[in-house]
Amino acid sequence: MIKRMFSFILTSFAITGCIALGLIASDRPKPLEPTQGLDFTTAMGQDLSQVIETTPVLMRDGSEMAVRLYGAAGADQPLIVLVHGSGWHGMQFDGLARGLADHARVLVPDLRGHGANPERRGDVDYIGQMEDDLADLIAEQAQPTQKIAMLGHSSGGGLVVRFAGGEHGDMLDRAVLLAPFLKYNAPTTRQNAGGWAHTMVRRIIGLSMLNTFKITALNHLPIIQFNMPPAVLDGPYGHTATTQYSYRLNAGFAPRGDYMTDIAALPKFSLIVGTKDEAFFAHEYEPLMRQATGKGRYLLVEGEGHLAIVDAPETLVAIKEDLSGL
């Protein structure tokens, strides 16, 4: 009897593994249509000629995170970490960071797998490593009595939500979410994020099946591509773009599957989104998130798109208000 059960389990495991591998092999990266995606006009129109150089900050595994530092260090003002969105890096926040520098110590990291010279572009070592990196950055830079805020845009906003719901969440006193990615199946998300992302769904399903059995050997495989416009890729910063993510990076760059639980763990927060957002449905955030928490305030900025919301004047005003309350 025991031998039969053992044989049945092995057979079931083998069948599941074959199905998973078949799904993974059947779904691969493909050429994307460059006319679809996000409007990078505002983002690429910034004057970056005087952008601050990055400073290396040591992480727990001995690697270095590239971080831009704005404002004076000290505990008399809050510290705010600005977390960039998918495919890009911290340079997207240069204008916003300068606007906040008189009100806070501003840290702008290039997340692991991103920026000018990552060790492995679009990849990390394990799911959750970016949360650990942000915790290490705060621990290294913050003063003992300093208040801590974290701001995230798009996938960066999703990472802030994930961070709040994880083991390091008690580090945060305030959060700011700019058009955050909550989950692919959340009512806030347009199909394929408005054409920005191509997701290899079958490959994700196959890798998720393997991960259920703690098989992580294939988690380095790419599972999502970004429709970065040629004007960006062919421009002076094209070499700093990240056009695809591994399974383990992508899984750790968003709230967990039960994203409402991560949302419920947020500290007091502001959510800011443009009414013309190409990737997300701006009016769906408040009714969804109020089901999990009453700690948020919601600001819809008329006429602003997904990337342009970062540099909208209303965004800077709202963040200053948040920082003054810390």
Side-chain angles (χ1 to χ4, degrees), residues 188 190 271 273-277 279-287 298-301 304:
T188 51
R190 297 181 189 272
L271 190 146
V273 59
T275 60
K276 298 296 185 181
D277 195 293
F280 305 121
F281 295 109
H283 292 86
E284 296 290 343
Y285 282 105
E286 184 170 1
Y298 302 85
L299 175 63
L300 273 64
V301 182
E304 295 290 0

Side-chain angles (χ1 to χ4, degrees), residues 273-320:
V273 59
T275 60
K276 298 296 185 181
D277 195 293
E278 311 98 291
F280 305 121
F281 295 109
H283 292 86
E284 296 290 343
Y285 282 105
E286 184 170 1
L288 173 68
M289 297 177 69
R290 282 200 181 278
Q291 297 176 44
T293 177
K295 295 180 181 178
R297 68 161 176 161
Y298 302 85
L299 175 63
L300 273 64
V301 182
E302 191 65 35
E304 295 290 0
H306 184 68
L307 296 175
I309 193 64
V310 171
D311 294 303
E314 295 89 342
T315 297
L316 180 60
V317 170
I319 299 169
K320 288 180 178 179

Side-chain angles (χ1 to χ4, degrees), residues 75-122:
D76 56 330
Q77 288 186 321
L79 179 148
I80 183 169
V81 182
L82 309 188
V83 185
H84 64 78
S86 57
W88 209 223
H89 42 74
M91 200 161 58
Q92 78 167 106
F93 290 125
D94 185 64
L96 179 61
R98 291 178 187 276
L100 296 173
D102 289 337
H103 303 267
R105 175 64 161 171
V106 186
L107 311 181
V108 186
D110 290 345
L111 296 173
R112 188 181 294 256
H114 299 77
N117 296 294
E119 182 179 347
R120 295 192 313 279
R121 186 171 298 282

Side-chain angles (χ1 to χ4, degrees), residues 199-273:
T199 305
M200 298 166 227
V201 177
R202 295 191 304 279
R203 180 170 281 195
I204 292 173
I205 293 171
L207 287 166
S208 298
M209 292 168 67
L210 294 182
N211 275 257
T212 299
F213 294 99
K214 309 299 182 184
I215 299 173
T216 61
L218 299 179
N219 283 3
H220 65 285
L221 292 176
I223 55 86
I224 190 169
Q225 297 170 272
F226 302 114
N227 209 342
M228 196 72 71
V232 176
L233 294 177
D234 296 337
Y237 300 104
H239 66 289
T240 67
T242 303
T243 56
Q244 63 182 26
Y245 285 168
S246 68
Y247 176 85
R248 56 194 173 198
L249 188 153
N250 193 67
F253 206 178
R256 293 161 185 84
D258 181 13
Y259 61 88
M260 294 296 280
T261 297
D262 281 351
I263 290 171
L266 282 165
K268 192 173 181 181
F269 69 93
S270 292
L271 190 146
I272 309 167
V273 59

